Amino acid sequence: MCHLSNPHRKPILCYVTDRQTLSKANELDAREALLQKSEEAAAAGVDWIQIREKDLSGKDCAELMRAALQRAAKHSTSKEGPTRILVNDRLDVALSQSVGGVHLGENSLPVEEARRLADSRIRDKDFLIGVSCHSVEAARAAARGGANYIFFGPVFATPSKAAYGAPQGLARLAEVCRAVSLPVVAIGGVTLGNAASCLSAGASGIAAIRLFQDSLVVKSLVKNLRRMAV
């Protein structure tokens, strides 16, 4: 099984895409807007970019992944390691395009099956499988199934998912971090102002859509986030 190296204990930073929201903020078409923001994130030193475009067909998703990989590769020598491109849900696309991993949701292929298929097709095992979890029980199950990391959230209340407030969300995050040995990445309403509290609760990093997409200068944002030691 592959490992997640983090020698300097810097927080994992993951930009999760949403091309439809992004395209509304500029005059580019949705696909090009996503690719430009993804390239900016890669150049800034974001660790992972999760392409989360659930409405795309397999063909269109594969084409988008190829383009995203090409854009990110331009900046692979600008920092310690290249940005890892992940695809949401589509294990078939992840394997066919040789991307860095797949992220599974609650209704995705079970992590055990995804792990078995990935291990049978990838020789070097350098392929991440992440799972979105909303409870300690789900996190433990993901760990047993062979996941490499966990997304937990929403940690903070958001307009679309007002699940619980910050104190309760952070307490639940801390509980999950204590329950598993895998890296736990906080997601859901994360901002520059509250990211440090996620790391203090035990998270290995943060993932967000708007935090990165709304940033006018992603490089400056990444620098500020990097100062937050895990």
Side-chain angles (χ1 to χ4, degrees), residues 67-136:
L69 286 166
Q70 291 171 358
R71 298 283 184 106
K74 296 178 183 179
H75 308 282
S76 62
T77 59
S78 64
K79 52 193 179 66
E80 292 181 0
T83 295
R84 184 181 290 267
I85 306 295
L86 312 172
V87 63
N88 185 79
D89 195 47
R90 296 300 300 261
L91 180 62
D92 55 340
V93 173
L95 296 177
S96 68
Q97 302 305 312
S98 300
V99 302
V102 67
H103 187 83
L104 305 175
E106 289 181 305
N107 298 315
S108 300
L109 186 71
V111 64
E112 295 88 350
E113 290 298 308
R115 182 83 272 164
R116 180 180 62 80
L117 289 170
D119 287 350
S120 69
R121 288 164 173 78
I122 303 175
R123 293 181 179 179
D124 63 7
K125 311 301 182 187
D126 187 24
F127 183 84
L128 300 184
I129 296 181
V131 181
S132 289
C133 299
H134 308 289
S135 68
V136 170

Side-chain angles (χ1 to χ4, degrees), residues 116-200:
R116 180 180 62 80
L117 289 170
D119 287 350
S120 69
R121 288 164 173 78
I122 303 175
R123 293 181 179 179
D124 63 7
K125 311 301 182 187
D126 187 24
F127 183 84
L128 300 184
I129 296 181
V131 181
S132 289
C133 299
H134 308 289
S135 68
V136 170
E137 294 75 18
R140 286 173 173 159
R144 290 194 301 269
N148 297 108
Y149 70 89
I150 289 165
F151 272 15
F152 177 79
V155 178
F156 303 100
T158 63
S160 61
K161 283 188 176 182
Y164 33 77
Q168 184 180 355
L170 288 169
R172 288 166 63 92
L173 172 63
E175 185 180 7
V176 169
C177 292
R178 291 192 298 268
V180 296
S181 59
L182 299 180
V184 176
V185 178
I187 191 170
V190 178
T191 68
L192 185 59
N194 63 32
S197 62
C198 295
L199 302 178
S200 296

